[in-house]
Structures are given as C-alpha cells and as structure tokens.
C-alpha cells in the first residue's frame, strides 16, 4: 500500500485544456492528448491524477472531471462536474490500486446524484486502509459501515468516473440476470475469528488441540 501517491494503469486519453491553466475559461473548448499514469490520495479531497503531456511535461493532481476518452472530440463529450463523477472523497493518505481479474473489461452502470444511470467499462479499483498501529487513525477507511472503495470506469458518454460498490450494477452476460435494484443493508459487523471463548494447548506440539474456554 502506497503513501499519498500510487501508480495506475496507463490511460491514454485527452485533457480539457482549462485544467492546465487553472480553469481559465479562455481554454474551455480546447483539449490535448495526455497519459494518466498515477494518482494522489489526500484525505478529504477528490482523487487527483497525474499525467504526462506530449511536450514532456508532467502535470500533477487533476480531478477525474479533467479527462475524457481519446477517441472522441471535446464537442462529443458532455462536460461533467467532479462531484457528478466521483461520489466520495479519499478516505486516507494510503491508497491501494488494483485490477480485479473478474471485473476486467466488464460493463456496468452507476446511479448518479441526478438519479440517472451512466454506463461504463471497468478499468481499476482504488481502496484505502490505515497503514500501521503506531500512527493515530483519524480516518474512516476501516470502520465497516463507513468503508467505501472507488471503481474507476470509462463511461459510454466519453468521461471517466470513480464510484463505490453500492452505486454500481455490473453486467456479466451469463450471470447477472436479475434487473432489480438491491435492498441490502449496510454492513455494521466487524468480523473477528479470534474470540474469547476458546484456547489452545500451551505446549510445543505442532498439531495442538483447541479447547472451549471454561468460565
């Protein structure tokens, strides 16, 4: 697990040019090629991506709303605000980036704040945790009912999005045949197998016995 910065799979895409000029409206109809190669995770802020540009410049810490897919022109892609594309801020300074094989290339749809579905293809997953017990944990990443991940999607409308599990429904042709919206409950349980009602042999036996603890 990285601190602050993490690698991502390289994403060859385009950037809305005003993001390179501190949102100067003079550039709001222009775009430029770029490659996303990493990100910063700052607690309480949007996911911030790092890019390489064709002139060799590296530009740090841009939100997901800065980018759209390379095969489209800017006029073909709707401009969306970062809060429409990413639901939750980063949960800690320790991000984990992973591609789940089972989801790789799978299409899904997320329910936006406007109660509309947005379709997209899975790219990778960002998750968070606390690194070690000697650092004061002031975050929410390991509280069961507060934990969120962010699945990064390439949307059918040309944008990218980062959404948690409970906003996305995936489509696997031979498996996901139920079209209903789930009514599952939030998990509040902290699962732990090392409970206080059992003990082991206090011996050097490799295959020790386990006993029910006596009151």
């Amino acid at each position: 697990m990285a601190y602050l910065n993490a690698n991502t799979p390289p994403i060859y895409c385009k950037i809305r040019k005003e993001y390179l000029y501190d949102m100067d409206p003079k550039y709001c109809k222009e775009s430029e090629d770029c490659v996303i190669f990493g990100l910063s995770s700052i607690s309480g802020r949007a996911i911030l991506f790092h890019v390489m540009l064709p002139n060799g410049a590296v530009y740090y810490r841009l939100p997901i709303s800065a980018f759209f897919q390379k095969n489209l022109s800017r006029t073909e892609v709707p401009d969306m605000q970062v809060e429409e594309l990413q639901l939750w801020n980063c949960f800690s300074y320790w991000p984990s980036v992973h591609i789940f094989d089972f989801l790789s290339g799978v299409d899904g749809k997320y329910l936006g704040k406007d109660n509309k579905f947005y379709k997209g293809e899975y790219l990778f997953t960002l998750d968070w945790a606390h690194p070690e017990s000697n650092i004061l944990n002031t975050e929410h990443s390991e509280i069961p009912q507060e934990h969120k991940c962010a699945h990064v999607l390439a949307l059918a409308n040309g944008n990218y999005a980062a959404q948690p599990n409970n906003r996305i429904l995936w489509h696997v042709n031979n498996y996901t045949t139920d079209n209903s919206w789930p009514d599952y409950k939030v998990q509040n349980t902290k699962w732990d197998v090392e409970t206080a009602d059992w003990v082991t042999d206090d011996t050097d036996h490799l295959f020790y016995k386990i006993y029910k603890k006596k009151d």
Side-chain angles (χ1 to χ4, degrees):
M1 179 163 291
Y3 172 73
L4 182 61
N5 291 300
N7 290 307
T8 67
I11 301 173
Y12 288 81
C13 58
K14 291 180 180 178
I15 185 169
R16 294 175 168 92
K17 203 166 182 178
E18 65 268 27
Y19 284 86
L20 298 173
Y21 292 90
D22 197 25
M23 304 307 291
D24 187 334
K26 179 171 65 175
Y27 300 96
C28 70
K29 294 184 179 180
E30 300 181 39
S31 63
E32 190 168 335
D33 288 343
C34 70
V35 185
I36 297 172
F37 64 86
L39 59 82
S40 280
S41 174
I42 299 175
S43 183
R45 290 173 61 181
I47 303 165
L48 301 171
F49 295 90
H50 311 323
V51 299
M52 171 76 77
L53 294 150
N55 60 9
V58 167
Y59 205 104
Y60 254 37
R61 297 186 177 180
L62 293 171
I64 201 165
S65 55
F67 309 103
F68 64 96
Q69 289 162 49
K70 185 183 173 102
N71 61 326
L72 299 171
S73 66
R74 179 148 186 183
T75 56
E76 295 177 283
V77 183
D79 288 341
M80 297 178 70
Q81 300 299 310
V82 63
E83 62 267 21
E84 298 177 280
L85 300 168
Q86 182 182 337
L87 186 60
W88 300 108
N89 285 328
C90 297
F91 282 82
S92 82
Y93 285 88
W94 288 272
S96 167
V97 177
H98 189 79
I99 297 176
F100 289 105
D101 289 346
F102 187 79
L103 293 176
S104 183
V106 172
D107 290 333
K109 58 183 180 181
Y110 81 87
L111 187 63
K113 290 180 177 178
D114 57 3
N115 288 316
K116 296 179 181 178
F117 280 107
Y118 295 86
K119 294 182 178 180
E121 181 182 338
Y122 175 81
L123 297 179
F124 62 89
T125 299
L126 181 62
D127 207 345
W128 294 272
H130 189 67
E132 59 116 340
S133 58
N134 287 318
I135 298 174
L136 179 64
N137 187 358
T138 62
E139 310 296 348
H140 293 78
S141 61
E142 296 183 7
I143 301 172
Q145 68 270 24
E146 299 297 336
H147 166 260
K148 311 287 189 302
C149 68
H151 298 297
V152 176
L153 308 170
L155 298 184
N157 69 8
N159 286 298
Y160 297 93
Q163 293 288 319
N165 280 321
N166 62 339
R167 307 312 295 170
I168 304 174
L169 293 178
W170 303 100
H171 178 71
V172 180
N173 294 44
N174 64 344
Y175 187 74
T176 53
T177 57
D178 183 352
N179 293 320
S180 62
W181 185 255
D183 62 354
Y184 309 138
K185 300 289 186 182
V186 172
Q187 178 173 245
N188 289 282
T189 304
K190 182 178 179 180
W191 299 99
D192 183 359
V193 298
E194 295 188 29
T195 55
D197 60 349
W198 58 273
V199 295
T200 66
D201 276 337
D202 185 16
T203 70
D204 61 355
H205 293 162
L206 179 62
F207 289 89
Y208 49 80
K209 293 181 180 180
I210 298 173
Y211 302 96
K212 186 76 173 178
K213 189 173 182 180
K214 297 179 182 178
D215 294 332

